[in-house]
Every structure is written in structure tokens, then in C-alpha cells.
Amino acid sequence: MARNLQKHILQIASGLFYSQGIRATGVDAIVKAAGTTKMSLYKYFPSKHDLVLAYLHKNREAFGVRISAGIYAHADSPKQKMLAIFDVFDEPQSSPKFRGCPFINASAEFAENAHPIRQATAEFSESFVQLLADLAREAGANDAEQLANQLAMLIAGAIAKEQMQQQSGAMRSARAAAEILIAHSLTG
């Protein structure tokens, strides 16, 4: 039962953090929405920052699963895998509940470089770029790191555009630009 309460608190907090923002969501709101007590929340998450870090960790795992499923189930070549990542990110953008990337949002709310939440978002970003660089190297890209950074910027920009103007088709446009960058990088 205790493990279920911990997961329930994290699930409720995750929804509130994503829909309302981290700083705007107080512990009292989380406790009320979860139907629990502060004592229970603090038993599992000693501070709100610990709860936010758990939220980011949960999202990182979920992104990993979605990306793996999307690129490895529907793409054969490294080039197709890089492009499939755009499709993975395009899917949730059609939801009316779409509020952007939880990592970009958290990074914007915690701008201090030394803050643990900001560091967690930076680690996610670095690991995502590394995944793209690994795929670019597999594909034979001339400069895998540069291509990975360019693709990551296209994805982040498309997410931000879609957050500001839903149903804009930004990720599809970013994917089209990625096809050009990838083709250029593979041919030199």
C-alpha cells in the first residue's frame, strides 16, 4: 500500500507540475489533489525539490521508453531512426493537454546553473544529444556531434513553437529540415 501511495503522490504531482508549472504548484495543492497528508508526502519525498527530481526522473524514463519504442520498432537504418525521433515527439503535441517539454519547462523555472533541478534538466539534454550523436555516427555523418546538436535544436524549437501555437505542425516542419541536414551530413 505504501508503494502505491508514493506512486500516487508522484502521479498527482507530475500532472500538476506539468499543467500548472512547478513553482506555481504548492505542496498544499499536491496533498489536497492526492487526498493525503503532508506527513505522507514528506515520508516519501523529504522536500518539494525531491518530488520535482522524482518527476523529472519519471519523465526521463518515460521519454526513454517512448523514444526506444519509436525508433527501434519503426526504423531500420540509423538515418530512419534519427527521423523517427521527430515522429515520437510529434505525437503528444496533438493533445490539447500539451504544455511543452517538462525538461525545458523545469529549466526555465530553475535558471540557476547550480540548482539540482537545473542540473537534472541539463543531464537529460546531454543524454538526448548523445543518443542523436550515436545514431549520427552509426549513419556515417561527417560531424556527428554537430548534426546531433542541430537536430536537438530543431526538436526543442518545434516543441517551443507548438507550445506557443498549438496545431502549428512545427515538428513536421522540423522533421523536413532534419532530412535536409541529415542528407547534407551524410554526403558532405
Side-chain angles (χ1 to χ4, degrees), residues 18-90:
Y18 187 69
S19 65
Q20 298 177 4
I22 295 168
R23 291 194 189 266
T25 303
V27 170
D28 290 333
I30 295 166
V31 167
K32 181 177 180 183
T36 190
T37 64
K38 282 186 183 181
M39 182 183 286
S40 292
L41 183 144
Y42 288 127
K43 175 182 176 184
Y44 301 112
F45 306 100
S47 71
K48 182 179 173 186
H49 285 156
D50 290 319
L51 183 55
V52 173
L53 290 170
Y55 158 71
L56 293 173
H57 179 74
K58 176 183 167 187
N59 275 288
R60 185 175 180 158
E61 286 181 349
F63 272 114
V65 168
R66 279 193 13 237
I67 289 169
S68 291
I71 66 176
Y72 295 108
H74 304 292
D76 296 325
S77 72
K79 176 184 175 183
Q80 290 173 330
K81 290 176 183 178
M82 285 185 281
L83 293 172
I85 291 175
F86 287 82
D87 300 332
V88 168
F89 279 94
D90 188 41

Side-chain angles (χ1 to χ4, degrees), residues 24-178:
T25 303
V27 170
D28 290 333
I30 295 166
V31 167
K32 181 177 180 183
T36 190
T37 64
K38 282 186 183 181
M39 182 183 286
S40 292
L41 183 144
Y42 288 127
K43 175 182 176 184
Y44 301 112
F45 306 100
S47 71
K48 182 179 173 186
H49 285 156
D50 290 319
L51 183 55
V52 173
L53 290 170
Y55 158 71
L56 293 173
H57 179 74
K58 176 183 167 187
N59 275 288
R60 185 175 180 158
E61 286 181 349
F63 272 114
V65 168
R66 279 193 13 237
I67 289 169
S68 291
I71 66 176
Y72 295 108
H74 304 292
D76 296 325
S77 72
K79 176 184 175 183
Q80 290 173 330
K81 290 176 183 178
M82 285 185 281
L83 293 172
I85 291 175
F86 287 82
D87 300 332
V88 168
F89 279 94
D90 188 41
E91 185 181 319
Q93 291 186 354
S94 62
S95 169
K97 295 181 181 181
F98 179 74
R99 295 238 327 116
C101 171
F103 297 96
I104 294 171
N105 295 347
S107 183
E109 288 195 58
F110 295 88
E112 312 85 37
N113 285 330
H115 198 287
I117 293 170
R118 177 64 178 258
Q119 290 174 350
T121 64
E123 289 169 11
F124 170 79
S125 177
E126 289 168 17
S127 69
F128 181 64
V129 171
Q130 187 59 52
L131 167 69
L132 292 169
D134 291 345
L135 292 172
R137 271 189 288 285
E138 278 183 56
N142 293 325
D143 188 341
E145 284 72 24
Q146 180 180 0
L147 178 59
N149 280 308
Q150 291 168 337
L151 296 179
M153 287 181 1
L154 283 173
I155 290 168
I159 290 169
K161 170 72 172 168
E162 191 67 29
Q163 188 174 1
M164 291 185 288
Q165 184 182 1
Q166 288 198 329
Q167 307 302 318
S168 69
M171 195 61 68
R172 290 184 297 283
S173 295
R175 188 186 194 282

